[in-house]
Amino acid sequence: DVTSVADHVEQITGIRPKFYRFPGGSSNTVSNVPMQDMIHFLSSDGYVYYDWNVSSEDASKTMLSADTIVRNVTGGIGDKKQSVVLMHDAASKRSTVEALPVIIETLKQKGNVVFLPITDATNQVVHVTEKKEGTLSAPAKEDAAVTDEAVETAETEIFAAEDTAKKAGDGTETE
């Protein structure tokens, strides 16, 4: 599926996706494929996968209020040096759309926040790392160090991945 979606996105946009987010994250327990096999496939095919270290919790079955989503995100970011925030862009997530401008303004008011896209220079945030031998392993530390010279003075980086596959008409979440 990953390869066919990547082919489709590249055909439409002219850009081959290289970033991936697992539905449910790399630590999910509901995939039909063992996660280590998928992680190995992605890395051997040149993909970089990202999880998140802040969740808006907007994937819940009950619709959360915009205020709750704002609290979840701003509270989750706290004093992290780097935050990758999970939010969903489904049509039914109206409160997420309502919350986003408030989240952005609240974080801008902190004065030490930079909003950036995920790029090749972004430190990877993962729930599970690829194992070479043995069992699944968690990442060595929760917050990766900030290394991008363009944001050297920033205390917090917040990343967002554009969901190009959805723009191509497919529900798979890739960038």
Side-chain angles (χ1 to χ4, degrees):
D1 286 348
V2 173
T3 304
S4 62
V5 169
D7 291 344
H8 185 69
V9 170
E10 184 176 30
Q11 180 182 9
I12 291 172
T13 67
I15 299 170
R16 182 126 189 118
K18 55 186 164 186
F19 304 121
Y20 186 85
R21 182 184 73 81
F22 292 102
S26 64
S27 58
N28 88 70
T29 58
V30 295
S31 290
N32 293 332
V33 175
M35 293 310 295
Q36 279 298 319
D37 293 351
M38 189 64 190
I39 290 168
H40 178 73
F41 166 79
L42 290 171
S43 79
S44 65
D45 248 24
Y47 292 93
V48 178
Y49 69 97
Y50 284 86
D51 286 315
W52 56 91
N53 58 0
V54 176
S55 177
S56 67
E57 301 292 333
D58 67 348
S60 66
K61 291 184 184 199
T62 59
M63 185 179 295
L64 299 178
S65 71
D67 289 341
T68 299
I69 293 171
V70 169
R71 279 193 306 277
N72 290 345
V73 172
T74 57
I77 289 171
D79 293 329
K80 287 180 173 65
K81 289 287 191 185
Q82 174 180 305
S83 297
V84 176
V85 179
L86 177 66
M87 300 179 93
H88 296 84
D89 64 354
S92 64
K93 303 296 178 184
R94 289 181 295 277
S95 57
T96 300
V97 173
E98 280 180 49
L100 192 55
V102 178
I103 291 167
I104 292 169
E105 190 55 39
T106 301
L107 294 173
K108 279 182 168 181
Q109 287 176 7
K110 286 180 72 172
N112 61 349
V113 175
V114 178
F115 295 86
L116 300 168
I118 290 178
T119 68
D120 293 328
T122 304
N123 293 312
Q124 192 177 16
V125 172
V126 298
H127 299 161
V128 175
T129 58
E130 183 175 9
K131 68 176 179 177
K132 302 301 178 193
E133 294 179 30
T135 62
L136 292 179
S137 58
K141 56 185 178 177
E142 181 183 351
D143 294 329
V146 176
T147 57
D148 188 353
E149 291 176 22
V151 293
E152 221 168 53
T153 60
E155 292 180 15
T156 303
E157 296 177 325
I158 300 171
F159 296 90
E162 184 176 337
D163 189 352
T164 55
K166 280 189 179 173
K167 290 181 180 170
D170 190 296
T172 305
E173 295 188 49
T174 30
E175 179 177 329

